[in-house]
Amino acid sequence: MAAVELTLFGHFVARLAQGALIDIAGQKDRALLAILALSPGPAQSRDKLAGLLWSDRGDRQARDSLKHSLTRLRHSLAADPSPILADRQSVRLDPAMVAVDVSEFERLVGEGTPSALEQATALYRGDLLE
């Protein structure tokens, strides 16, 4: 069972599996979590993530901002073990620990049965990250 549930259709919402809302105050922190959630496969390069979110800063400051954002996310998600898997070069989410509405939507649409399509429709709450 996933420890964290993310809603990315419509407004960003993060919840613990028990239903409690997770407060992720920073816009860049939410954006980082969304980027990782939308790329559940291979790990993302730290340089790529820092460039995407902090391109207005120098490389060293951007990587430092990424490091601080990851620390805040780990603290906010408060799961043990953390769903954020990182090393010195890359970052990814553990897909077994994070349920994402977009991933479930894609799975249901791929299934293509009338029941699955009805469930997918129910998941859609607006454009991606309104």
Side-chain angles (χ1 to χ4, degrees):
M1 176 179 194
V4 176
E5 298 171 358
L6 295 178
T7 299
L8 303 180
F9 281 129
H11 296 288
F12 179 96
V13 178
R15 294 182 185 279
L16 294 173
Q18 301 85 4
L21 285 174
I22 300 170
D23 182 26
I24 300 175
Q27 185 175 2
K28 298 257 178 140
D29 296 346
R30 290 189 306 270
L32 175 58
L33 187 56
I35 289 167
L36 294 172
L38 291 169
S39 307
Q44 301 292 314
S45 152
R46 280 182 179 259
D47 289 334
K48 176 183 171 186
L49 293 169
L52 281 171
L53 295 168
W54 293 280
S55 61
D56 59 332
R57 301 176 183 175
D59 289 346
R60 186 173 185 182
Q61 189 177 11
R63 281 186 65 96
D64 195 48
S65 294
L66 173 63
K67 179 179 74 172
H68 290 292
S69 183
L70 288 168
T71 299
R72 286 189 301 272
L73 284 174
R74 282 188 184 107
H75 180 72
S76 294
L77 298 177
D80 188 28
S82 174
I84 297 173
L85 306 172
D87 59 31
R88 296 184 58 77
Q89 301 302 319
S90 62
V91 181
R92 70 181 183 92
L93 286 181
D94 181 346
M97 293 191 67
V98 181
V100 183
D101 64 343
V102 174
S103 299
E104 182 65 6
F105 177 87
E106 290 173 342
R107 185 190 69 74
L108 291 165
V109 168
E111 193 174 304
T113 65
S115 174
L117 293 175
E118 186 176 320
Q119 291 174 50
T121 301
L123 285 174
Y124 186 79
R125 294 180 188 97
D127 292 339
L128 183 66
L129 296 172
E130 284 180 351

